[in-house]
């Protein structure tokens, strides 16, 4: 049964990659990601994400993302979160490095479901982006939908510990300020397939491959091949 489910997720993953693969530029990156949730009451929780990304071909670290937030559980499996994101990048330009940063405020709704120990997470995030490009301040808004499915492979009956496979997909839609970006509503999609191990309900580690499709400019598409290592903690 588990093997059949894994084949289905793999088929979806490969189909998405094939459909998005008609791009002009190809890049190779590595991402290191840590996500944490900290309960501070019966319904309240703090969250934090930290991500470090490499430049193309792992030459140097070019991105730092820090994303704290505070969440409120409106139901056992539903959480509303308000947060802030700092996004800094270092890009090579004229034999030097140019630093640009972006500040974001986000509102998020997340719902978690379980079907026969298969865990399904749906997340809708709305971002207000305060960007700096070529010494100009730009304001845009973006909507993101994220889906994650975790399927236990070699795990205990309650899936509190064991090996699992994970499938993720996230789509990005520009709601305001498209004229400052790619002039398109849809400009990015991320599809991911990974293998992880859950040590307990408080700790799991995962590694996998992400295919990121970006419309970088009006007539330029970029295909990112990304190896990602992630750690998730919850206390």
């Amino acid at each position: 049964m588990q093997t059949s489910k894994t084949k289905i997720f793999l088929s979806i993953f490969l189909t998405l990659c094939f459909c998005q693969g008609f791009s002009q530029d190809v890049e190779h990156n590595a991402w290191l990601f840590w996500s944490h949730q900290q309960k501070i009451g019966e319904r309240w929780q703090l969250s934090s994400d930290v991500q470090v990304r490499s430049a193309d071909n792992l030459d140097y670290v070019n991105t730092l993302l820090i994303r704290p937030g505070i969440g409120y559980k409106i139901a056992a499996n539903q959480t509303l979160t308000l947060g802030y994101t700092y996004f800094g990048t270092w890009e090579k330009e004229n034999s030097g490095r140019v630093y640009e940063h972006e500040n974001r405020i986000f509102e998020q709704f997340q719902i978690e479901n379980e079907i026969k120990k298969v865990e399904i997470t749906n997340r809708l995030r709305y971002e207000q982006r305060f960007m700096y490009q070529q010494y100009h301040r730009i304001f845009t808004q973006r909507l993101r939908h994220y889906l994650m499915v975790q399927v236990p492979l070699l795990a205990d009956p309650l899936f509190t510990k064991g090996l699992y496979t994970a499938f993720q997909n996230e789509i990005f839609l520009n709601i305001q300020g498209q004229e400052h970006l790619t002039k398109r509503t849809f400009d990015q999609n991320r599809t991911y397939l990974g293998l992880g191990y859950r040590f307990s309900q408080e700790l799991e580690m995962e590694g996998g491959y992400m295919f990121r499709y970006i419309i970088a400019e009006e007539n330029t598409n970029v295909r990112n091949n990304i190896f990602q290592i992630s750690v998730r903690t919850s206390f």
Side-chain angles (χ1 to χ4, degrees):
M1 184 66 177
Q2 299 294 354
T3 303
S4 178
K5 291 176 181 177
T6 304
K7 287 181 178 179
I8 292 172
F9 291 131
L10 182 59
S11 298
I12 295 172
F13 174 75
L14 293 175
T15 301
L16 286 169
C17 289
F18 176 78
C19 291
Q20 300 176 99
F22 300 99
S23 55
Q24 297 176 355
D25 298 328
V26 178
E27 296 183 0
H28 304 276
N29 307 81
W31 291 6
L32 182 62
F33 180 59
W34 171 60
S35 178
H36 177 70
Q37 289 186 351
Q38 181 67 53
K39 293 181 180 178
I40 56 174
E42 184 177 349
R43 290 185 175 269
W44 293 93
Q45 65 182 31
L46 296 175
S47 62
S48 61
D49 296 337
V50 178
Q51 190 173 79
V52 176
R53 304 177 183 176
S54 76
D56 188 26
N57 296 321
L58 313 180
D59 290 338
Y60 60 96
V61 171
N62 75 333
T63 303
L64 173 65
L65 182 150
I66 302 173
R67 183 166 46 217
I70 182 166
Y72 179 78
K73 284 189 172 292
I74 59 176
N77 66 334
Q78 300 176 29
T79 307
L80 292 174
T81 301
L82 175 65
Y84 162 78
T85 304
Y86 175 83
F87 187 84
T89 59
W90 295 263
E91 297 291 348
K92 284 186 177 180
E93 188 173 306
N94 298 326
S95 72
R97 292 189 185 181
V98 176
Y99 173 74
E100 292 183 349
H101 70 280
E102 176 183 337
N103 296 293
R104 305 173 187 168
I105 298 171
F106 70 89
E107 303 80 40
Q108 175 178 295
F109 173 66
Q110 180 167 305
I111 183 168
E112 300 171 347
N113 294 299
E114 184 177 300
I115 303 175
K116 295 182 178 180
K117 304 310 173 185
V118 174
E119 298 178 356
I120 304 171
T121 300
N122 273 282
R123 183 182 72 205
L124 195 64
R125 178 180 293 163
Y126 192 54
E127 296 178 322
Q128 295 77 51
R129 307 173 67 190
F130 302 87
M131 308 170 68
Y132 297 85
Q133 293 184 356
Q134 298 178 347
Y135 308 104
H136 296 288
R137 295 186 178 183
I138 298 171
F139 175 74
T140 68
Q141 296 194 82
R142 181 168 69 181
L143 186 66
R144 304 166 57 166
H145 176 260
Y146 168 89
L147 170 69
M148 178 175 71
V149 180
Q150 290 179 299
V151 183
L153 298 177
L154 299 172
D156 62 20
L158 297 179
F159 192 20
T160 59
K161 182 179 181 181
L163 189 70
Y164 66 88
T165 185
F167 168 79
Q168 301 172 14
N169 195 76
E170 186 169 18
I171 187 171
F172 294 69
L173 302 174
N174 295 312
I175 305 301
Q176 180 182 351
Q178 295 96 325
E179 67 275 11
H180 300 301
L181 301 170
T182 61
K183 299 180 174 60
R184 295 173 181 263
T185 299
F186 166 76
D187 70 354
Q188 184 177 166
N189 192 82
R190 300 175 184 176
T191 305
Y192 168 88
L193 185 67
L195 188 67
Y197 190 85
R198 180 171 295 177
F199 295 90
S200 67
Q201 296 281 37
E202 292 79 29
L203 173 64
E204 58 187 40
M205 298 184 66
E206 190 177 295
Y209 167 76
M210 178 183 293
F211 177 84
R212 182 169 69 155
Y213 172 78
I214 307 172
I215 302 175
E217 297 175 3
E218 190 171 357
N219 296 314
T220 303
N221 300 334
V222 178
R223 183 175 60 199
N224 259 152
N225 297 301
I226 300 165
F227 174 68
Q228 177 173 285
I229 297 177
S230 58
V231 178
R232 285 187 286 268
T233 55
S234 177
F235 298 107

